[in-house]
Amino acid sequence: MADAQMMLAATYTQGGTLEIEEIARPVIERDEILLRVRAASICGTDVKIIRNGHRKLRDGQRIVLGHEFVGVIEQVGESVAGYPVGQRVGVAPNAGCGRCPACVRGKTNYCPAYTAFGIDQNGGHTVLVRIASQFVTQGNVIPLPPEVSDAEAALLEPFSCVINGVRSSNIELGDTVVIYGAGPIGLMHVLLCRLSGAAKLIAVDVRTDRLEQARNLGCDLAVDARQEDVVERVRYETGGQGADVVITACPAAEVQAEAVRLLAPFGRLCLFGGLPRTAGPVPLDTNAIHYGNLLVTGTTGGAVEDYRIAIRLVAGKRVELTRVVSHVFPLADLRGAYDAALAGTDGKIVLVADGT
Ligand SMILES: [Zn+2]
Ligand SMILES: [Zn+2]
């Protein structure tokens, strides 16, 4: 029989590698919450950490992976009020110092001293998670309404990042929006831009299956960048004007440089996907920005507020996030889920606990 004090977890050790192993169950302090994971998903960031490590980790430091997870409260410390045992909650994964200008604005994801599950706190790709006090006091632990299923709830975190990106792109009714990258995140952008009033949605990718998926999710046009000149095609599709908004949801330097050239006057560019550090600086056509009165922005992560907006949109059936899911694994099959993620599957991989 399995040791009751141990639990299965997907861990990463800085300078080492991914392990699917039994680790000790966490113990909580009086101001903390213990969460039993109901569902989780694997992010590109998890894969990136396994491949490149993370700057917030010391050499040899081991963490449980996973910042996208939801669960049921298993136990609460004696000084925690308002969180009953048995309550199902989502967890926004970034908490800040609470005092810096970013934190005071509620943007804890931009705090220079941020801490996050699956980064420098043990995350949710396991059975039980210790929720440290600052996540409780900063409002990161949020009750989930019954309308949100466990599998959908696992996707609230990546969706909150997409909400941050789309809010920063100032989409207006009737806009033409181009989204580079039709992976799960690009597809979530498609769903949200549609909801935000975009009249024409154009997806760009280099993989046939992803382009087809973009069409299925409501893109008016899916452009294969291997076969077509994207700038020319977008100009043609917009009567020579260009797009109102371009969002880059892929880690490609050449896409960022090209994106500026797609925009209509007063257009907005959101550099949503970051680049690997090795990519170096990207040459931007600053005259296109100058003469076009363009706005160039970028976003990373999502704030607790974005996470709460995500809950309301999903509960209100305004978006169907599970449409970006390609694989569902039982939570106990962390090995299978990570094998699929590391092999570079197409869509989102979700893990759900038994009985979900
Ligand atoms: Zn993520
Ligand atoms: Zn801060």
Side-chain angles (χ1 to χ4, degrees):
M1 210 181 100
D3 184 336
Q5 295 314 308
M6 302 295 278
M7 62 180 191
L8 193 67
T11 67
Y12 169 74
T13 303
Q14 180 86 344
T17 183
L18 166 77
E19 298 282 353
I20 308 296
E21 57 179 332
E22 294 281 332
I23 61 168
R25 289 184 172 216
V27 176
I28 58 164
E29 301 289 327
R30 59 196 311 274
D31 53 358
E32 298 179 338
I33 289 176
L34 187 66
L35 193 77
R36 180 172 289 272
V37 176
R38 295 296 307 158
S41 45
I42 298 181
C43 179
T45 301
D46 300 316
V47 173
K48 228 194 288 181
I49 290 171
I50 294 165
R51 296 210 166 115
N52 309 324
H54 198 283
R55 63 184 168 81
K56 288 181 87 75
L57 296 173
R58 302 180 311 274
D59 253 3
Q61 187 180 349
R62 182 180 75 171
I63 48 131
V64 176
L65 290 164
H67 55 274
E68 303 175 358
F69 63 95
V70 298
V72 170
I73 294 177
E74 174 94 354
Q75 188 193 342
V76 288
E78 62 261 41
S79 70
V80 175
Y83 287 99
V85 168
Q87 167 103 65
R88 198 168 64 112
V89 293
V91 182
N94 305 295
C97 69
R99 296 180 295 274
C100 75
C103 282
V104 169
R105 293 177 70 154
K107 307 290 187 188
T108 48
N109 48 321
Y110 293 97
C111 175
Y114 83 96
T115 176
F117 292 102
I119 308 282
D120 60 347
Q121 303 266 340
N122 281 334
H125 291 164
T126 185
V127 179
L128 294 163
V129 187
R130 180 182 73 93
I131 311 288
S133 152
Q134 70 195 114
F135 292 91
V136 182
T137 55
Q138 290 181 15
N140 291 58
V141 184
I142 309 157
L144 292 173
E147 292 82 6
V148 181
S149 72
D150 286 340
E152 279 176 312
L155 302 171
L156 289 168
E157 195 284 324
F159 190 50
S160 73
C161 303
V162 171
I163 290 173
N164 185 20
V166 169
R167 289 173 94 195
S168 300
S169 305
N170 302 333
I171 293 179
E172 292 177 14
L173 292 177
D175 274 355
T176 295
V177 179
V178 177
I179 294 155
Y180 275 97
I185 289 289
L187 295 175
M188 284 191 191
H189 274 99
V190 169
L191 296 173
L192 191 58
C193 290
R194 228 175 120 89
L195 191 64
S196 304
K200 190 165 194 169
L201 277 167
I202 301 172
V204 182
D205 206 293
V206 289
R207 285 166 61 164
T208 315
D209 47 348
R210 288 188 167 188
L211 291 165
E212 191 182 322
Q213 178 70 332
R215 267 183 230 110
N216 292 341
L217 260 62
C219 269
D220 303 283
L221 183 68
V223 179
D224 188 336
R226 291 167 305 186
Q227 295 179 4
E228 278 193 86
D229 182 313
V230 179
V231 179
E232 262 175 39
R233 184 67 196 266
V234 169
R235 295 239 164 250
Y236 173 77
E237 293 292 332
T238 54
Q241 274 293 298
D244 301 296
V245 173
V246 177
I247 297 168
T248 62
C250 56
E254 62 278 14
V255 162
Q256 295 191 343
E258 180 178 88
V260 178
R261 298 170 47 223
L262 258 63
L263 285 165
F266 309 104
R268 287 131 273 150
L269 167 62
C270 179
L271 303 171
F272 182 90
L275 299 182
R277 250 168 298 173
T278 49
V282 176
L284 270 197
D285 181 351
T286 54
N287 256 348
I289 299 170
H290 170 76
Y291 287 109
N293 211 329
L294 307 181
L295 185 75
V296 179
T297 187
T299 62
T300 178
V304 177
E305 185 191 28
D306 298 313
Y307 195 99
R308 291 177 182 221
I309 293 171
I311 292 176
R312 294 202 293 274
L313 289 175
V314 173
K317 309 293 174 199
R318 293 302 189 265
V319 280
E320 218 184 314
L321 294 184
T322 46
R323 294 188 69 184
V324 311
V325 173
S326 60
H327 295 68
V328 180
F329 286 89
L331 187 58
D333 190 12
L334 286 164
R335 168 68 63 198
Y338 266 96
D339 281 349
L342 291 167
T345 30
D346 257 1
K348 195 74 176 165
I349 295 169
V350 170
L351 292 138
V352 287
D354 284 348
T356 300

